[in-house]
Amino acid sequence: MSFRNIATRSQLATRAFSATRAYSSGSTALKERFAELLPGWQSEVKDLKSKYGETVIGEVTLNQAYGGMRGIKGLVWEGSVLDPYEGIRFRGRTIPEIQKVLPKVEGGEEPLPEALFWLLLTGEVPSFEQTKSLSEDLAARSKLPKHVEDLLDHCPATLHPMAQFSIGINALESESEFAKAYANGVGKKEYWKYTYEDSINLLAKLPTIAAKIYRNVFKDGKVAPVDGSVDYARNFATQLGFGSNKEFIELMRLYLCIHSDHEGGNVSAHTTHLVGSALSSPYLSLAAGMNGLAGPLHGRANQEVLEWLVSMKKELKGDFSKEKIEKYLWKTLNSGRVIPGYGHAVLRKTDPRYMAQRQFALKHMKDYDMFKLVSTIYEVAPKVLKEQGKTKNPWPNVDSHSGILLQYYGLTEQSFYTVLFGVARAFGVLPALIIDRGLGFPLERPKSFSTEKYKELVESLAKK
């Protein structure tokens, strides 16, 4: 399957990029383009801090301090911004917009994640030639060191796939160009270059790590080689064992894009940034982020949603009427559980990532019984949650849909789903880490108080 761009050259020439200036050369490498853009960004940040550095940008309540710092403005994240009512924007573009403007393969309908990586790092939509070049570069860097392969081969099948994923990423620290350069005394202005090399090498190897875990735990242990002539998602699908299914490959392209980035405050993104701020290598930083993603309140929620859906389907015995589903939802809530896949820390509307997956399902599996179940829950659950009155967002999030799409194509092993999420999340957090180093962001070190100190503080403020 060959590549093609979804837009003509004339359309590309007239498109207004979100970056401060456009480019015309289809052969400009990503690293070179980032180097060209970086001085302007550095100057912009310097000027902003100089003019407005002492400007108060928000207030913090005691509830926020005790409530996980939710809503506190305190992070810089260039790749994406999450609006409670509009949803996610990648460098200013919505999910439907990136589906429209990013390059696709010939005959394909979903954007290429390599192109999204370019967009998140530079703010610019890459051309077909640039996307293809990046795909080839990633394929060329994909081989795992033998000690990483051996380590993964010796993990017991009972060890959760996310724990194995973190182990594999940590083991790649031996290959870190950044760690070696830092040990040799490289200057701060050069940090981003070695962070870039580590990030591209890591991104290239993640599908092979993930596929090796999947094939070792659930299949025959054999992983197909990477084909340098095809795109990232197609290679990944092939390594997992689904390379002959064109729809599954399309799903992987969509999945990797929409799960890539969701602002900088979520656990996996923030953890990667936080550990990276200590000048840990991208390998150690991402591994830390993946340990956060593995939690049931974050990435592992997709596994829990599917387990809940399977239990519901079994109990309903094929009767997916609204009345039966409503009764089951109340049973779930009355047992002290939440409805998995509903609610979000920031969003106050249906997650656009849910809608993107729903559109994919309507196109490819509208008669699938699990899709019908999810669709009917979507009609019933918001009403039930509003009646209960304990959730600020009664709408579905990304996790409520992803599992059934994978089930439809035969990837039924729920414990592996978060690993797929992890590969996708790297497309968002690694560009951010490169930008962090390029802009010279410092060690992150917020202030903490004890409860006694907070009591003193709020009591003194109450007297004023």
Side-chain angles (χ1 to χ4, degrees), residues 456-464:
E456 293 177 11
L457 177 62
V458 296
E459 287 171 359
S460 65
L461 291 172
K463 294 176 181 178
K464 293 182 179 179

Side-chain angles (χ1 to χ4, degrees), residues 340-414:
Y342 278 73
H344 192 273
V346 178
L347 284 170
R348 296 295 176 264
K349 62 168 284 183
T350 299
D351 193 332
R353 299 172 299 175
Y354 172 94
M355 294 306 299
Q357 292 177 102
R358 176 172 171 78
Q359 291 303 316
F360 185 93
L362 285 169
K363 188 182 302 180
H364 298 291
M365 58 188 79
K366 64 180 181 179
D367 295 325
Y368 179 38
D369 61 349
M370 291 295 282
F371 173 58
K372 290 180 178 179
L373 175 59
V374 168
S375 294
T376 309
I377 295 172
Y378 182 36
E379 295 180 44
V380 176
K383 170 180 170 289
V384 169
L385 288 169
K386 287 177 182 178
E387 287 181 13
Q388 186 205 32
K390 292 184 179 181
T391 178
K392 294 180 180 179
N393 177 29
W395 306 104
N397 58 47
V398 64
D399 298 314
S400 64
H401 215 307
S402 58
I404 66 114
L405 302 182
L406 298 168
Q407 287 274 315
Y408 179 78
Y409 292 111
L411 205 164
T412 59
E413 298 84 4
Q414 296 102 305

Side-chain angles (χ1 to χ4, degrees), residues 50 86 113 121 131 203 221 256 258 299 341 358 360 365 369 372 389 396 404 427 449 460:
S50 176
E86 183 183 59
L121 184 59
T131 303
L203 194 69
L256 293 175
I258 65 174
R358 176 172 171 78
F360 185 93
M365 58 188 79
D369 61 349
K372 290 180 178 179
I404 66 114
F427 278 86
F449 279 165
S460 65

Side-chain angles (χ1 to χ4, degrees), residues 3-8 12 15 101-104 126-129:
F3 290 90
R4 71 168 176 84
N5 198 0
I6 61 168
T8 65
L12 280 173
R15 184 176 295 138
V101 303
L102 290 183
K104 303 173 184 177
S127 67
F128 158 67
E129 290 85 359

Side-chain angles (χ1 to χ4, degrees), residues 211-229:
K212 192 159 190 62
I213 294 166
Y214 179 72
R215 302 296 301 182
N216 281 350
V217 175
F218 304 110
K219 303 296 179 181
D220 59 5
K222 298 178 181 178
V223 179
V226 170
D227 182 350
S229 67

